[in-house]
Amino acid sequence: MTVLRTHDLTLGYEGKPVVRDLDLHVEAGEIVALLGANGAGKTTTLLGLSGLVEVLGGRIELDGADLAGVGPHQIARRGLAHVPEDRALFTDLTVRENLQLGQHSRRADVAPALALCPELEPLLGRRAGLLSGGEQQMLAVARAVVGGPRVLLVDEMSLGLAPLVVTRLLAVLREVAATTGCGIVLVEQHVQQALAIADRGYVLRRGRVALEGAAAELRRSAALLAESYLGDDATEAAAQAATGGAP
Ligand code: ATP
């Protein structure tokens, strides 16, 4: 079942297109990696799906319903959760309060989110601002999951985190997809790791889809992919992966 679909979607700022003619789809329980060099339009795409960037053309369907004219709060209520790059936690509130105040989750039970992220259980009384970066990121993911979203957008989750922490967080996402049937769009700088847990991927280049396919296929051609589309950092990462220097 398709939980998210875009048709010829064009997004931009002040009327100027940044992402053009985007056709993507996400199935229930699927993880889709959204890749591309800096400035390719990945964050803009996620913001556009959440209703936070202007739609200049085309349309978005969430669970089969057109989102034209629907505002960000309403989109969230309809089941689209967004974990932004800055995590957007309430740092003065406790972990428990963050979970309880999670987007549109006032009546929701936090137990399933804690089952997916058991590391948070002993931290429930701690202020979010006192957590490590990895714990904060896990809290951001758990909070997004509390409301039982149909689609989860995750932006640069691994920024500044140790590789082992990233591996654990990616495993959490895989479990979220498998156990809740939520479809996940993952923007990730660790291309190899993202493709290792994703089902499919799209590569954006200057705001357009340059390449798409099964994650396993994209992974096999990772060196080429990095060289062609992802810029120097990713080329280096792919080279390391090819020589066994990365997972
Ligand atoms: P990065 O990994 O660097 O965040 P990205 O693929 O997420 O890259 P975006 O942040 O979506 O790329 O940026 C795509 C383009 O949109 C860039 O050229 C950027 O300068 C432009 N852009 C981003 N935010 C704004 C804004 N608020 N106003 C105008 N242009 C913007």
Side-chain angles (χ1 to χ4, degrees):
M1 184 197 173
T2 305
V3 287
L4 181 73
R5 185 181 287 280
T6 69
H7 301 270
D8 282 334
L9 183 67
T10 296
L11 302 163
Y13 303 93
E14 291 164 18
K16 294 195 188 97
V18 162
V19 170
R20 294 160 204 261
D21 307 324
L22 186 66
D23 287 305
L24 64 79
H25 65 98
V26 181
E27 304 299 309
E30 188 181 42
I31 299 183
V32 171
L34 191 58
L35 308 170
N38 287 348
K42 306 179 298 294
T43 294
T44 300
T45 300
L46 297 194
L47 292 172
L49 294 171
S50 289
L52 298 166
V53 158
E54 197 184 351
V55 173
L56 301 175
R59 59 201 174 84
I60 305 167
E61 279 172 22
L62 177 62
D63 247 347
D66 198 315
L67 292 185
V70 183
H73 290 289
Q74 218 31 53
I75 291 175
R77 268 209 182 91
R78 289 189 187 191
L80 187 137
H82 191 157
V83 179
E85 204 173 314
D86 67 4
R87 298 168 193 153
L89 295 172
F90 302 101
T91 51
D92 287 338
L93 299 185
T94 64
V95 169
R96 186 192 302 281
E97 287 164 339
N98 268 278
L99 290 172
Q100 287 167 342
L101 289 172
Q103 271 180 320
H104 315 287
S105 58
R106 253 144 281 163
R107 282 180 300 274
D109 182 8
V110 302
L114 285 174
L116 288 160
C117 305
E119 291 94 329
L120 295 176
E121 189 100 45
L123 303 173
L124 282 171
R126 191 169 300 177
R127 270 179 46 206
L130 298 178
L131 302 182
S132 70
E135 289 165 346
Q136 286 189 358
Q137 192 65 69
M138 188 171 282
L139 175 56
V141 169
R143 190 180 61 165
V145 169
V146 167
R150 302 290 294 140
V151 174
L152 176 62
L153 311 179
V154 185
D155 199 354
E156 299 277 16
M157 179 177 75
S158 64
L159 219 59
L161 301 180
L164 261 180
V165 177
V166 176
T167 302
R168 171 66 188 130
L169 286 166
L170 289 170
V172 168
L173 292 187
R174 191 70 260 181
E175 212 180 325
V176 167
T179 60
T180 72
C182 170
I184 298 179
V185 182
L186 178 66
V187 168
E188 185 50 65
Q189 54 167 343
H190 293 295
V191 173
Q192 284 288 336
Q193 270 180 298
L195 289 175
I197 67 130
D199 298 292
R200 288 185 301 112
Y202 294 87
V203 181
L204 291 184
R205 188 185 204 185
R206 297 194 201 104
R208 292 180 192 273
V209 173
L211 202 63
E212 64 178 282
E217 271 167 42
L218 293 176
R219 204 167 180 229
R220 273 196 292 277
S221 60
L224 174 71
L225 188 130
E227 215 172 282
S228 313
Y229 304 109
L230 302 180
D232 295 343
D233 293 351
T235 307
E236 203 173 301
Q240 268 180 17
T243 57

